[in-house]
Amino acid sequence: MIQSVICRRQTIQNLRCNSHIRSPVRAEPRRNSVPPTHTLTNTSKSTITSNMISKRSSLDRNNLNNTMANSSSTQDTSSSSSSQTQNPISQSAHSLTLDKEVSSAVAFANGNVNGNSGNVPVASAIEKAKSNKKRWKLLGDENSLHVAVASNLRQRYITKDGKCRVNLGPIVEKIRFISDIFTTIVDLNCRWFLLVFTMCYIVTWVIFGGIYFFGAWLRDDISHVGDPKWKPCFENVDSFLSALLLSLESQRTIGYGSRMVTANCSEGVVLLMIQSILGSIIDALMVGCMFVKISRPQQRAQTLIFSKHCVICERDEKLCMLFRIGDLRASHMVDAKIRAKLIKSRQTKEGEFIPLEQSEINLGYDCGGDRLLLVEPQTITHVINEASPFWGVGSKRLKRETFEIIVILEGIVEASGMTCQARTSYTEEEVLWGHRFESCISLEKGAYRVDYSAFDKTFEVQMSLLSAKDRSNAIKQGVVL
């Protein structure tokens, strides 16, 4: 490594001394075209090519001689070694610049010579230029690659539409889900729910159809179908399909009249009673699950909207954090409440790392400001005071922080009386410093009009970049902000 650095330094010094070779360190415009007053013939083109190749060969010989001359000086003191290796990256870049310029000139000359494909040094110079170009591209894209990877690693705790991004790990005691079978069925996806709903009926019909067919076979009712002297237990059951129809007609109380359970056997009556009770239980469970699945309050949350950004501005000479909520339906939420949580990982003084720690954000709980009459869009205010987690956060620190604000709106649906919850989140990139929301309410004849096209619009205001803590200290010291 030291020998390579010494070689490249000596190469740069020799290049600076030679007047017929342009120094790669000095930034000069690259000549990619020939002046229009000169025309190149095949002879002149070949001359340019041979001159550039000879310059490259002489350069390689100088590098070899300098390497052999300086090979004995690599055992110097540690101080001289450190001074020689302090900037190997810039020297390597200068060498790459020289290689690229020489290769470009050779490639230009070779491109203007027709039929000169047998020049092996020119082809090797072009290949080396391509390799250097790829290397430069990789070195230049390294920072952008890190930025792209870093941006993709940002994971939200809750998405903008309220879905939690938390995956549960392997659960050993899955029997706990069976104990609450009703909630388990309701939480299934629609396709799996319809599959369970359908299979509950089909399986019971098939099972009892098989029992009816087995009973008819034991009593020999199958072989005496149509015999007026025979007293069957299951009338007109001569196959499994007819027994399945008997099970379906009995459980669904269809009763076509051609197939029935007679009074000639007591076991048939008991079997019919068991099927009727089991069918009623399945009806109650499935119909209840279907009703709850359709009327889930999560669907009501689709018409509760939140602003895309959260803003920080001054209100009544206090630094406040604001965001908006609105209801798109004419039927309003009853007893609506709003609350917010700050999700941020931190490390304690003892060195313990606490991931995703939740802290409360006061939205007016002490004065009743968290209870809303959600008739028109409401702007929720959080006053940044000493109890706020944003007390020491200013404009510059806000850009360096990593946190997520979770906003939860709860209320009772007026139409169904069920409790509904809507959620959203704001990351540090979605908090705008020095902005305010535009007004979206205007007065019309006989009523107020809400313009939801201006619901998310903000405008910038002139304000201090200091945090609430620094502002308070400055006011105490008599500094005018």
Side-chain angles (χ1 to χ4, degrees):
M1 179 64 184
I2 296 174
Q3 295 178 1
S4 177
V5 171
I6 295 173
C7 173
R8 294 198 179 275
R9 169 165 288 191
Q10 294 296 332
T11 302
I12 298 301
Q13 293 176 357
N14 293 333
L15 289 175
R16 289 178 178 176
C17 295
N18 295 330
S19 61
H20 63 279
I21 300 177
R22 186 175 55 186
S23 175
V25 180
R26 185 172 64 254
E28 294 182 2
R30 185 177 301 171
R31 297 178 180 177
N32 294 328
S33 61
V34 180
T37 56
H38 299 279
T39 55
L40 295 177
T41 60
N42 291 335
T43 305
S44 61
K45 295 172 184 177
S46 302
T47 304
I48 293 175
T49 305
S50 60
N51 289 336
M52 297 305 298
I53 295 172
S54 62
K55 291 178 181 179
R56 182 61 182 270
S57 301
S58 63
L59 177 63
D60 294 337
R61 287 195 297 269
N62 292 333
N63 292 339
L64 181 59
N65 294 332
N66 292 328
T67 304
M68 296 177 63
N70 295 319
S71 59
S72 60
S73 62
T74 58
Q75 304 297 328
D76 294 342
T77 60
S78 58
S79 60
S80 62
S81 299
S82 60
S83 63
Q84 291 174 356
T85 59
Q86 61 182 356
N87 196 6
I89 298 177
S90 60
Q91 296 173 1
S92 178
H94 295 334
S95 179
L96 286 174
T97 306
L98 179 61
D99 293 340
K100 188 173 182 180
E101 290 179 354
V102 174
S103 300
S104 300
V106 174
F108 169 76
N110 187 31
N112 289 278
V113 177
N114 298 326
N116 191 13
S117 60
N119 197 345
V120 179
V122 174
S124 62
I126 295 174
E127 293 178 359
K128 189 168 185 178
K130 292 181 180 180
S131 64
N132 290 338
K133 184 177 180 181
K134 292 181 181 179
R135 184 178 179 184
W136 279 28
K137 185 176 181 181
L138 290 175
L139 291 174
D141 293 345
E142 185 176 1
N143 294 331
S144 61
L145 180 62
H146 287 303
V147 172
V149 172
S151 61
N152 292 332
L153 291 178
R154 183 67 172 92
Q155 178 63 48
R156 303 182 77 102
Y157 187 75
I158 290 181
T159 59
K160 297 295 288 184
D161 55 354
K163 296 180 180 179
C164 297
R165 292 298 184 183
V166 178
N167 298 326
L168 301 179
I171 300 176
V172 179
E173 299 181 0
K174 294 184 179 180
I175 192 65
R176 295 177 179 270
F177 295 97
I178 305 299
S179 60
D180 189 11
I181 187 64
F182 184 82
T183 307
T184 302
I185 295 176
V186 171
D187 289 340
L188 292 176
N189 294 331
C190 292
R191 58 180 181 272
W192 292 108
F193 178 78
L194 292 177
L195 178 62
V196 172
F197 183 87
T198 305
M199 293 303 297
C200 284
Y201 288 102
I202 294 178
V203 168
T204 53
W205 296 339
V206 172
I207 290 176
F208 281 96
I211 295 175
Y212 287 144
F213 179 74
F214 183 71
W217 177 75
L218 287 179
R219 295 184 60 85
D220 203 18
D221 292 341
I222 298 177
S223 58
H224 292 84
V225 175
D227 189 356
K229 297 181 180 180
W230 182 258
K231 296 180 179 181
C233 180
F234 305 101
E235 190 172 354
N236 292 329
V237 176
D238 56 355
S239 62
F240 176 76
L241 184 59
S242 60
L244 181 61
L245 289 175
L246 175 62
S247 174
L248 175 61
E249 294 170 7
S250 301
Q251 185 169 338
R252 304 308 306 162
T253 64
I254 297 175
Y256 291 112
S258 60
R259 297 177 185 85
M260 67 184 72
V261 178
T262 63
N264 296 325
C265 59
S266 58
E267 59 272 16
V269 177
V270 173
L271 186 61
L272 183 61
M273 293 171 61
I274 295 174
Q275 185 178 7
S276 299
I277 295 173
L278 186 59
S280 299
I281 294 174
I282 294 176
D283 290 339
L285 180 62
M286 291 294 104
V287 172
C289 291
M290 181 65 73
F291 174 77
V292 174
K293 188 74 173 179
I294 295 175
S295 62
R296 295 189 77 174
Q298 282 81 355
Q299 306 302 326
R300 177 64 175 87
Q302 301 298 323
T303 54
L304 299 173
I305 59 175
F306 299 85
S307 59
K308 295 181 180 179
H309 293 89
C310 182
V311 301
I312 296 179
C313 62
E314 293 178 347
R315 175 173 284 190
D316 297 331
E317 298 181 353
K318 296 179 180 179
L319 198 62
C320 300
M321 178 179 290
L322 310 176
F323 60 90
R324 270 182 176 172
I325 58 174
D327 190 0
L328 301 179
R329 287 190 178 274
S331 59
H332 309 298
M333 298 285 294
V334 179
D335 193 19
K337 300 178 183 179
I338 188 74
R339 55 194 179 96
K341 294 281 188 179
L342 177 66
I343 307 297
K344 183 180 179 181
S345 302
R346 71 179 184 92
Q347 188 173 6
T348 62
K349 296 180 180 180
E350 294 77 15
E352 179 187 2
F353 179 74
I354 304 177
L356 304 176
E357 185 183 29
Q358 300 183 11
S359 57
E360 190 73 21
I361 298 178
N362 189 6
L363 299 179
Y365 176 78
D366 49 353
C367 60
D370 60 331
R371 297 179 180 270
L372 308 175
L373 179 61
L374 202 58
V375 178
E376 79 283 353
Q378 297 288 326
T379 302
I380 310 301
T381 305
H382 165 63
V383 180
I384 302 178
N385 50 23
E386 295 180 357
S388 173
F390 300 99
W391 172 247
V393 178
S395 177
K396 296 182 179 179
R397 182 179 171 183
L398 180 64
K399 300 177 182 179
R400 301 192 304 265
E401 290 287 334
T402 302
F403 61 86
E404 188 170 353
I405 301 173
I406 310 299
V407 180
I408 304 171
L409 175 64
E410 293 179 341
I412 300 174
V413 181
E414 188 178 18
S416 61
M418 303 180 69
T419 303
C420 174
Q421 185 181 94
R423 298 182 296 264
T424 190
S425 68
Y426 300 99
T427 60
E428 68 279 356
E429 298 176 352
E430 297 168 347
V431 179
L432 304 179
W433 185 279
H435 284 71
R436 283 182 185 153
F437 286 108
E438 291 187 2
S439 178
C440 59
I441 300 178
S442 60
L443 180 61
E444 289 186 349
K445 186 178 180 180
Y448 293 95
R449 183 178 182 273
V450 178
D451 183 13
Y452 275 103
S453 62
F455 182 80
D456 295 316
K457 292 182 179 180
T458 62
F459 62 94
E460 191 173 0
V461 295
Q462 295 294 333
M463 58 175 290
S464 175
L465 302 180
L466 299 178
S467 63
K469 181 179 180 181
D470 295 338
R471 289 163 59 93
S472 178
N473 296 333
I475 293 174
K476 290 180 181 180
Q477 295 175 4
V479 178
V480 179
L481 299 177

